[in-house]
Amino acid sequence: MSEQRPEKLCGRALSAADLEVIREEIGRAEPANRAEIARRVCRALEWTNALGEPKLMSARVGLLRLHRAGLIELPAPRWGNGNGRALTHAAVLWPPERPLDGRVDGLSGVRLSVVREKAASRLWNGLIDRYHYLGYSPLPGAQMRYLIESDQGLLGALGFGAAAWKVGVRDAWIGWDRLQRESRLGAVVNNARFLLLPWIRVQHLASKVLGLAARRVGNDFAERYGERPVLLETFVELARYRGTCYAAANWQYLGETQGRGKCDVAHRATLPRKGVFVYPLRADFRRALGVAA
């Protein structure tokens, strides 16, 4: 039995007419694969970014969600691992597990490298899948992925994706109403993954990495998607971590989530409650988010 149609689909209104358009485009797609369906749906529903380019990543994530809910039927993924199955790591060149400790000022050339090439993408995915407690899943919507590197070698991985649709403490802190949130949510991005490799024990490295990210992520999103974020958010599972590195990097703690997840429209999820941290990228971020000063 299929679920009830969600009113929102990962940050976007979804009407009954939209759902019917999606079903029609699935039937018309030639070749009948998920990439072509996403392209057709973006064109039919005008799912584009500020540069006028199709939001293919968001469409793929949203279509998969509808498929899993039984509201549409997608063809099987071409490569056999697009529907929740484990990653294949055979093509990943794993970094040597060489212990590194000390203080961050003892490292040279600490930097963030944007993931662009397939080899770097496989490495990022594999590192997250193997070493991050949440494992790998595709980042939702517009995204930036980075490898954390230094002259001493690979240190970890960092990823930003679409913001959570609705977060009580965040939305109250910003002070926006529903319409403002729906129209400007794209200016908020979520630090969805942050990994320092288990054998890296360098003091203050995590807060340094967050500082590097805050200085460049706005430009990187603007270059890739034509929209510059003004606010970063992240969620820390407080039963595991205290969020110390975020506090040290001047992120602000707002409170806890209600345990519903990023796209829980039906309010049925029962996830661990998480601490909400935010970092404004400009002083007038509220005005940029449509909230009067």
Side-chain angles (χ1 to χ4, degrees):
M1 179 180 297
S2 64
E3 297 183 8
Q4 183 179 1
R5 171 183 56 84
E7 294 182 2
K8 307 291 182 183
L9 185 63
C10 292
R12 173 182 183 97
L14 182 75
S15 68
D18 290 338
L19 187 58
E20 187 57 35
V21 168
I22 292 172
R23 289 168 175 157
E24 291 174 357
E25 294 301 330
I26 292 173
R28 295 170 180 166
E30 182 60 43
N33 59 53
R34 296 184 179 196
E36 176 62 17
I37 289 168
R39 284 190 287 268
R40 295 185 69 96
V41 168
C42 285
R43 183 168 59 246
L45 297 180
E46 298 182 349
W47 287 2
T48 58
N49 62 21
L51 297 176
E53 300 167 338
K55 292 185 174 182
L56 294 174
M57 185 67 68
S58 294
R60 292 286 292 267
V61 172
L63 290 170
L64 182 57
R65 181 175 172 226
L66 293 177
H67 172 79
R68 289 173 173 168
L71 294 167
I72 63 173
E73 185 173 352
L74 293 173
R78 287 184 295 174
W79 309 118
N81 66 347
N83 210 4
R85 291 160 63 178
L87 289 175
T88 299
H89 298 308
V92 175
L93 181 61
W94 298 106
E97 298 186 13
R98 185 180 303 118
L100 187 64
D101 55 19
R103 294 176 56 88
V104 70
D105 53 14
L107 296 182
S108 60
V110 178
R111 58 194 178 270
L112 300 179
S113 298
V114 176
V115 171
R116 292 190 175 92
E117 304 300 329
K118 288 184 178 180
S121 181
R122 288 194 295 266
L123 175 59
W124 193 98
N125 295 349
L127 291 174
I128 295 296
D129 193 51
R130 175 176 284 192
Y131 298 114
H132 196 283
Y133 79 99
L134 290 175
Y136 170 79
S137 61
L139 298 180
Q143 61 183 257
M144 295 297 306
R145 292 178 297 161
Y146 302 94
L147 292 173
I148 307 168
E149 301 176 325
S150 74
D151 294 341
Q152 289 72 37
L154 183 65
L155 305 175
L158 185 70
F160 293 85
W165 174 248
K166 186 178 182 180
V167 182
V169 293
R170 179 203 65 190
D171 298 338
W173 177 77
I174 292 172
W176 56 10
D177 59 29
R178 179 180 62 83
L179 293 178
Q180 290 166 336
R181 173 172 53 83
E182 291 179 3
S183 65
R184 296 298 296 137
L185 189 63
V188 182
V189 296
N190 179 263
N191 175 208
R193 292 291 188 273
F194 186 10
L195 169 71
L196 293 179
L197 295 171
W199 51 90
I200 305 297
R201 303 291 186 185
V202 178
Q203 295 180 38
H204 311 303
L205 175 60
S207 57
K208 179 179 179 65
V209 170
L210 291 172
L212 292 174
R215 289 191 287 274
R216 69 170 296 172
V217 71
N219 289 334
D220 290 339
F221 266 88
E223 180 181 349
R224 178 172 290 183
Y225 298 106
E227 182 172 13
R228 182 179 299 274
V230 301
L231 182 68
L232 305 179
E233 68 177 19
T234 197
F235 304 99
V236 175
E237 192 169 321
L238 298 176
R240 292 175 177 268
Y241 304 106
R242 297 173 58 188
T244 303
C245 65
Y246 289 97
N250 297 317
W251 287 57
Q252 183 174 344
Y253 175 70
L254 300 183
E256 294 186 11
T257 66
Q258 297 181 5
R260 291 177 177 171
K262 286 169 65 69
C263 293
D264 178 35
V265 178
H267 308 299
R268 289 198 294 266
T270 54
L271 301 176
R273 289 176 179 259
K274 297 182 179 181
V276 181
F277 289 80
V278 294
Y279 187 91
L281 294 178
R282 49 191 270 188
D284 63 343
F285 72 94
R286 284 190 174 86
R287 183 179 62 82
L289 294 175
V291 179

